[in-house]
Every structure is written in structure tokens, then in C-alpha cells.
Amino acid sequence: MLDCPSSPAEQDPTVADLLAARPHLSMHALDGLTLEDVPLNAIADAVGTPTWVMGAGTLRARYRLLDGAMRGAGLAPSIHFAVKANDHLAVLRILAAEGAGADVVSGGELRRARAAGVPAGRIVFSGVGKTREEMALALAEGIGHIAVESAEELDILSDVAASSGWVAPITLRVNPDVDAGTHEKITTGLSTNKFGIAYARAAALYERSASLPGLKPLGFSVHIGSQIVAMAPYRAAFARVADLVRAVRARGLPVSLVDCGGGLGITYRDEVEGAPEALAGAIRAELGDLDVRLAIEPGRWLAGSAGLLLSRVILRKAGEDGLPSFLILDAAMNDLMRPSLYEAWHGILPVSARDATRPVEAVNVVGPVCESADSFADGRFLPRLDEGARVALLDTGAYGAVMSSTYNGRPLAAQVLVDGGRWSVIRERQPVESLWAADRIPDWVMPAPAGG
């Protein structure tokens, strides 16, 4: 059966619930779990596990839904994919072909976006700690605008631009002191967060920016956090920005752009996914009468549900004194960091159709890394899974592979792209020897003595 019995975890979605909420996934009696039209067992047989899998068709469909919702509300914002969510060149190129630009937060992300074919004019540069070298790179490339996050950064950018004869198109990123109602580690719009310029200082700083050499102020940016599913925080933030635009224009200064940021949330467990139509409505209600160009910076909403992490059970370890058994996977926190970093919940599905119909039990799903934080789920009710069983950790297309590390000497997992019924490896599994290929041992470090 696919339904969980009565239990403290009975509100968690079942196998059937998880599949029903994800139309890009299906369970076939013979092929097992399928992403778009590709059986995941075929990928695991050929590539092994752990392996990241992204659905190109799903990614395109998500972009078109978001773009259509904006256009349906009479808006035409430029859409800049947040590269920090997933920086693979194939992902960036797929979205660029749909018309997306890129939101970058480092020189490395800027170079990646350009390597993927994103036009420089469709790139915006955010982030609290841009170096002079990164600023110079952005200006030399001719990107759309730089979101300035402090008075100190404003002065540095003016110096970098003026000293090289450039004019930097900028927005000021405003911190509206609005609680996004999300996890404390992914909220960015409170006065206690490191991001943005204090709201009370923004108008004066905008006026000052207009007098500094090498700068061309365009307007304001705002971003209040990630995994936001309610519209009230957005409306509060956008209303404050609208008031700021009117105040600055009252001083005789032009404002031509408002960048609304990103952060729209998805369904991981039982959240109601943030609706693009609702976001479009919030933007239109608060900013629609300002006669400005608009921009948005989605990341998670576009890529999150399009990806999963394939893994297999290394072994079952019996729990003590009637406690749940441990399912130890070959994926770990170095692969998918979100559960250990944010206490994030990810759905877990058996890849085998036969496994999916087995009786459920409470288990702790963990990885092999030598940290107690290396856990994906505690007391999760899943169909019984034995050694060798394959599983898919869902909704990992954003903040999954991009946050991976090689902790515990574990090579980076392979990456695969699915597109309808075809698939291809888009990043080979990292050879273990590459983990120390760049290490250099000084000649004054003596070799270990021979023998035991």
C-alpha cells in the first residue's frame, strides 16, 4: 500500500501524495520511478549513485508558467535566474534560450553566465561583498546593472568606474525591514540581516549617488528572503519601495527601474507553493502605477522541483530498544547540505515500483559522513527499503549540487540532464584522485618512514 498508517508523522505526504504533486514524476510498474520520460533505474544502472538528475522539460515549463503569469497580469519584467540556485552551464543555457537573464553574486557566477551564453546586458550583479576586481569585470562586460548594498560599496564602485572611464548602471538594494516569514537562515529583508541599505537612509543615498562620478542610478532593488509562499511580506516590501520611488522623484531625481528580487517558494513537504499569479498580483498592486521597468530574480521556483538526487541504501542498521532503524545511503550531507544546514525537508521516493508498494515503517535516513548532522530524515515513514534499494531525494534542483563539497574525501556526484525521453551526463563523477591533484607538498616535509 502507498498510504502511511496512523502515526505522529501521518501528516507527511505519502508516496502517492508526492507523485500526485509532481506531474513530471511517474511510477511505472516495470520501469519504476520516471522523470519526464526517462526511467531513473536506467540512469543509475549506467552512471551509478549518487547522481543528480535535472529535467530540462520541467525547467522550461516552470519558466513559461512564471513568464505567462507576469504577462497575464499586464507586466513584462525582465527575468533574471538566480545563478546561486543552480549554476550548471546546461541549466543556464536552457533558461537563456527561454529568454532569462542571470542574477549573479560573484565574479565566478558572472563568468559562468557568460560562458553559458547569457548576454551581458541581461545580467545583474547582487551581493554584499563585491571586490574591486569583480566590479571592474562587471563593468568591462557591460552588464545590465549592479545592485549596490551599502554606502561604502557605492564609494568604491564610483572610484572603480571613474578611474577607468566607465559609467556604472546601478540600483540601490533597499532593506525594507520586512519579515518574510521563512527560515531565519534564508531571510534577507530584516534590519538585522547583512543585506541591503537601511530604508531610512536609502533616499539620501540615492540622491548622493547621482552626484558621484562614474555612476548612473536607475532605481531600487529589494529582496526579502527565500522560500516565501505568502504574499503579504512581498506586498509590504513593494509598498515601501513604491513610497521610496515617489519620495526620490519628489526630489527631482529620475527612477526608471525597480528590481523586485526573488524568493518565491515551492512545495517540499505540504506547503502551498508560491503562485506566480499571486506574485504578479502583488507587484501590480504596489508597483503597477509607477511607470518603471520591472525585474524579478527567481531561482528556487524555477529549478527546485526540476531536480532530484538519486541514491541507494548501503545498509540497514537496526535501532536500539525499539527505536527506528537507520537507512544509510551513499548520498550524504556533502552532496545535499540543505537538511543539515536548514533542517530542510525533502521527499524521499523508492525508485522501484515494487519497493513503493511495501508496508511502511518509521526509519531514520542518514548518510555515511562522520557527522551527526548527516541526516536526511528522522522517523520518516517509508516503504521498507533493504540494502541496495534505490531512492530519489526530491526537489533538489535548487541549492543542491551547487552547494556540494568533497568533505570526508567524497568526490562530487555525477550530474545528468533529462529532456523528454533522452538523457545525457552533463558532469562526470569526479575522480577520487582529483581531490588531491592540486595539493603540493613542500620539499622540506619529509616522507613518512617506511615500514609499520
Side-chain angles (χ1 to χ4, degrees), residues 96-116:
E98 292 294 313
D103 166 53
V104 304
V105 294
S106 73
E109 286 190 350
L110 172 54
R111 289 183 182 276
R112 270 188 172 271
R114 295 292 286 128

Side-chain angles (χ1 to χ4, degrees), residues 48 123 192 205 332 399 446:
I123 297 175
T192 53
L205 195 60
Y399 307 105
M446 301 301 293

Side-chain angles (χ1 to χ4, degrees), residues 204-290:
L205 195 60
Y206 190 85
E207 185 171 12
R208 181 167 174 265
S209 72
S211 67
L212 289 175
L215 301 182
K216 181 182 180 181
L218 303 176
F220 298 97
S221 298
V222 65
H223 181 77
I224 58 174
S226 189
Q227 187 52 14
I228 302 168
V229 296
M231 293 301 111
Y234 279 126
R235 291 200 61 164
F238 299 157
R240 299 209 80 190
V241 171
D243 288 343
L244 190 58
V245 170
R246 296 182 185 103
V248 166
R249 283 176 170 170
R251 299 186 184 197
L253 298 169
V255 178
S256 60
L257 172 65
V258 172
D259 189 329
C260 302
L264 195 62
I266 64 172
T267 300
Y268 286 102
R269 186 181 185 179
D270 53 6
E271 310 95 323
V272 177
E273 180 169 272
E277 295 82 4
L279 177 61
I283 293 172
R284 182 175 179 83
E286 304 299 340
L287 303 171
D289 64 347
L290 291 181

Side-chain angles (χ1 to χ4, degrees), residues 9 12-13 18 268-269 317 323-329 331-333 336-349 361-368 371-383 385 391-394:
D12 280 344
L18 291 170
Y268 286 102
R269 186 181 185 179
K317 178 181 177 182
L323 295 174
S325 295
F326 291 92
L327 289 185
I328 303 175
L329 306 184
M333 64 182 290
L336 179 59
M337 186 183 291
R338 295 190 70 252
S340 60
L341 187 61
Y342 305 130
E343 299 84 40
W345 195 99
H346 284 269
I348 301 172
L349 285 178
E361 61 178 356
V363 289
N364 299 323
V365 185
V366 301
E371 297 282 349
S372 295
D374 184 24
S375 175
F376 296 118
D378 293 331
R380 183 76 63 87
F381 276 79
L382 295 173
L385 298 169
V391 296
L393 286 81
L394 305 182

Side-chain angles (χ1 to χ4, degrees), residues 29-331:
L30 296 179
D31 292 334
L33 188 63
T34 297
L35 173 59
E36 298 186 8
D37 295 321
V38 176
L40 295 175
N41 272 322
I43 294 173
D45 287 344
V47 183
T49 56
T51 293
W52 303 96
V53 188
M54 284 291 294
T58 308
L59 199 60
R60 293 188 196 98
R62 301 284 289 185
Y63 182 88
R64 292 169 188 176
L65 282 172
L66 178 62
D67 185 53
M70 293 295 158
R71 293 182 184 278
L75 305 173
S78 55
I79 301 176
H80 304 271
F81 176 65
V83 175
K84 59 181 174 288
N86 190 317
D87 67 1
H88 196 286
L89 295 182
V91 169
L92 302 182
R93 181 163 294 185
I94 288 166
L95 291 172
E98 292 294 313
D103 166 53
V104 304
V105 294
S106 73
E109 286 190 350
L110 172 54
R111 289 183 182 276
R112 270 188 172 271
R114 295 292 286 128
V118 180
R122 297 216 302 259
I123 297 175
V124 300
F125 198 152
S126 308
V128 300
K130 309 174 193 74
T131 66
R132 288 175 176 266
E133 292 76 16
E134 288 173 325
M135 292 175 181
L137 171 65
L139 295 175
E141 288 285 330
I143 70 167
H145 72 261
I146 297 174
V148 175
E149 300 217 15
S150 66
E152 295 81 359
E153 182 186 353
L154 193 70
D155 289 334
I156 294 170
L157 180 58
S158 172
D159 181 59
V160 170
S163 64
S164 298
W166 289 314
V167 176
I170 66 166
T171 60
L172 296 191
R173 177 173 174 178
V174 179
N175 185 319
D177 197 22
V178 168
D179 186 353
T182 188
H183 192 284
E184 64 178 5
K185 292 184 179 179
I186 53 175
T187 189
T188 61
L190 291 172
S191 60
T192 53
N193 298 141
K194 68 180 180 180
F195 300 97
I197 296 160
Y199 185 83
R201 301 182 60 198
L205 195 60
Y206 190 85
E207 185 171 12
R208 181 167 174 265
S209 72
S211 67
L212 289 175
L215 301 182
K216 181 182 180 181
L218 303 176
F220 298 97
S221 298
V222 65
H223 181 77
I224 58 174
S226 189
Q227 187 52 14
I228 302 168
V229 296
M231 293 301 111
Y234 279 126
R235 291 200 61 164
F238 299 157
R240 299 209 80 190
V241 171
D243 288 343
L244 190 58
V245 170
R246 296 182 185 103
V248 166
R249 283 176 170 170
R251 299 186 184 197
L253 298 169
V255 178
S256 60
L257 172 65
V258 172
D259 189 329
C260 302
L264 195 62
I266 64 172
T267 300
Y268 286 102
R269 186 181 185 179
D270 53 6
E271 310 95 323
V272 177
E273 180 169 272
E277 295 82 4
L279 177 61
I283 293 172
R284 182 175 179 83
E286 304 299 340
L287 303 171
D289 64 347
L290 291 181
D291 189 26
V292 293
R293 290 189 296 117
L294 296 168
I296 54 175
E297 300 169 2
R300 184 191 313 271
W301 197 91
L302 290 176
S305 61
L308 55 83
L309 176 59
L310 271 179
S311 184
R312 68 178 173 85
V313 178
I314 296 173
L315 60 85
R316 291 177 59 95
K317 178 181 177 182
E320 297 294 326
D321 300 324
L323 295 174
S325 295
F326 291 92
L327 289 185
I328 303 175
L329 306 184
D330 64 355

